[in-house]
Amino acid sequence: MNQKQPFDADKKLISVKDVYKSYGPKLVLDDIDLHVKAGELCTVVGPSGCGKSTLLRLILGQEKPTQGAVYFEENLVDRARPDRGIVYQKYSLFPHLSVLSNVLLGKRFMLGWGAWLSQKRSLEEAALQLLKRMRLEAHAHKYPHELSGGMQQRVAIAQALMTRPKVLLMDEPFGALDPGTREDMQLYLLELWEETRMTIFFVTHDLEEAAYLGTRLLVVSQFYEDDRGRDFARGAKIVGDHALERTALSTKVKESSKFVEFVARIRSEGFDPHTKRHIRDFNLNHSDSFRTVSNQEWANQP
């Protein structure tokens, strides 16, 4: 398991520069600029179809941008690599393998047969320690169907962490869970982040979840205006980038007026097709926010 990593105020772990992504004639992402520092728990929200999961796949290296570039530790992202772990909404577990075997699977694929045999015992010990941290040690030899949904998702997280990634990418990881289990998993993820300070890039459709979990919240939306004209085909941009306080694990904060008001503001900012902010009025308040804007998008830039 990753040791606690000091927060590096200058190191940009992820950089997305002038990225456009199209599928055929449909433009999904429209000039995305983003820096993410090591140690951030970065949550990403946006309306259905805005491309937030597409952005995650570009960072993973599962897809390539139509234009622009994605960098990880200043290296061009050209394909998926073990330094970027991934957890999906649908558990990535093989039903015929035990919990322990599922957790070890990534390492087994990474190593050759000889290296796997020589390291098998030590890797099993490491996997059991990871399962202990996940409060799943007693279930190591069970099969996925014998576990609850929350337990299966903890196994999926352990599976991703076993390869010691530098960033954990999570795509709607709690979306299939019931509300009580979902909140338990939110607390668990925060405990994991507090312990390791690993970089997490967390995509969700749940505004409350995003505001509760993140040290930084990105709002990706196709609902905005610029100076390119009414009939111009636009893709989604980052319309909001907010630094969040990370002071407590208690879920009681969700009941505070400040929290409720913030969630309502995010909903208006990126989810309401009738409340479209002009590109000059985007709430890019985070210290790492940056963007490039063309003269066509903003005709009278200062």
Side-chain angles (χ1 to χ4, degrees):
M1 187 162 177
N2 287 13
Q3 297 300 308
K4 188 165 183 174
Q5 300 170 4
F7 188 88
D8 187 332
D10 299 313
K11 184 177 181 182
K12 305 297 190 298
L13 188 69
I14 299 166
S15 290
V16 180
K17 298 182 179 181
D18 302 326
V19 161
Y20 296 77
K21 181 62 180 179
S22 299
Y23 295 100
K26 182 175 176 57
L27 178 63
V28 177
L29 296 177
D30 191 338
D31 197 5
I32 300 293
D33 296 307
L34 175 66
H35 285 321
V36 178
K37 289 176 182 172
E40 292 249 41
L41 202 173
C42 188
T43 54
V44 185
V45 294
S48 178
C50 72
K52 51 189 183 293
S53 292
T54 298
L55 177 59
L56 181 142
R57 291 193 296 271
L58 291 170
I59 294 170
L60 177 63
Q62 196 173 58
E63 296 192 30
K64 294 183 179 181
T66 305
Q67 185 178 326
V70 180
Y71 299 89
F72 187 78
E73 292 189 317
E74 300 182 356
N75 296 310
L76 184 67
V77 171
D78 56 357
R79 59 187 173 92
R81 295 178 185 270
D83 55 9
R84 279 154 279 143
I86 180 72
V87 178
Y88 295 104
Q89 178 178 335
K90 193 70 176 174
Y91 323 121
S92 54
L93 306 179
F94 288 87
H96 65 288
L97 296 179
S98 69
V99 166
L100 180 60
S101 294
N102 266 292
V103 173
L104 286 166
L105 198 60
K107 275 291 188 184
R108 188 169 180 175
F109 285 152
M110 288 168 62
L111 300 171
W113 182 245
W116 164 251
L117 289 178
S118 65
Q119 298 178 44
K120 184 178 178 182
R121 183 181 293 275
S122 63
L123 289 172
E124 285 180 344
E125 291 174 357
L128 287 169
Q129 284 299 310
L130 187 54
L131 287 171
K132 184 177 181 179
R133 174 63 187 83
M134 300 282 177
R135 300 189 286 273
L136 290 168
E137 186 181 23
H139 306 282
H141 300 293
K142 291 182 179 179
Y143 290 84
H145 73 272
E146 300 177 272
L147 306 180
S148 68
M151 292 167 73
Q152 288 185 55
Q153 197 59 297
R154 296 209 308 271
V155 175
I157 293 172
Q159 186 183 61
L161 293 180
M162 188 63 195
T163 59
R164 296 182 178 273
K166 294 178 180 178
V167 62
L168 184 62
L169 303 168
M170 308 185 81
D171 192 4
E172 302 276 8
F174 308 149
L177 304 177
D178 64 80
T181 303
R182 185 172 192 148
E183 194 161 80
D184 287 343
M185 287 302 299
Q186 291 170 5
L187 286 168
Y188 175 75
L189 183 67
L190 285 178
E191 290 173 5
L192 178 68
W193 182 81
E194 290 278 358
E195 179 185 326
T196 64
R197 285 296 198 274
M198 75 180 304
T199 310
I200 299 175
F201 196 84
F202 186 104
V203 168
T204 177
H205 69 276
D206 189 311
L207 295 181
E208 184 180 84
E209 181 171 70
Y212 175 65
L213 287 176
T215 61
R216 179 182 184 182
L217 188 151
L218 295 168
V219 186
V220 180
S221 180
Q222 64 273 50
F223 302 139
Y224 63 91
E225 292 181 343
D226 56 33
D227 295 334
R228 289 180 289 184
R230 277 183 190 274
D231 298 326
F232 193 91
R234 295 170 176 81
K237 291 184 179 289
I238 295 174
V239 304
D241 188 352
H242 303 270
L244 304 180
E245 295 180 11
R246 174 83 276 133
T247 56
L249 297 180
S250 173
T251 58
K252 290 292 185 182
V253 69
K254 297 178 183 179
E255 301 171 11
S256 71
S257 58
K258 182 179 178 181
F259 184 89
V260 172
E261 289 167 4
F262 177 70
V263 169
R265 192 161 73 248
I266 295 301
R267 182 171 285 108
S268 173
E269 181 176 280
F271 286 73
D272 185 352
H274 304 295
T275 308
K276 296 182 178 180
R277 296 176 187 268
H278 192 277
I279 192 171
R280 64 174 171 266
D281 300 319
F282 288 176
N283 288 332
L284 305 180
N285 302 319
H286 196 279
S287 59
D288 287 330
S289 288
F290 79 103
R291 64 178 175 184
T292 53
V293 180
S294 70
N295 291 330
Q296 290 74 30
E297 291 174 307
W298 186 352
N300 298 306
Q301 296 182 56

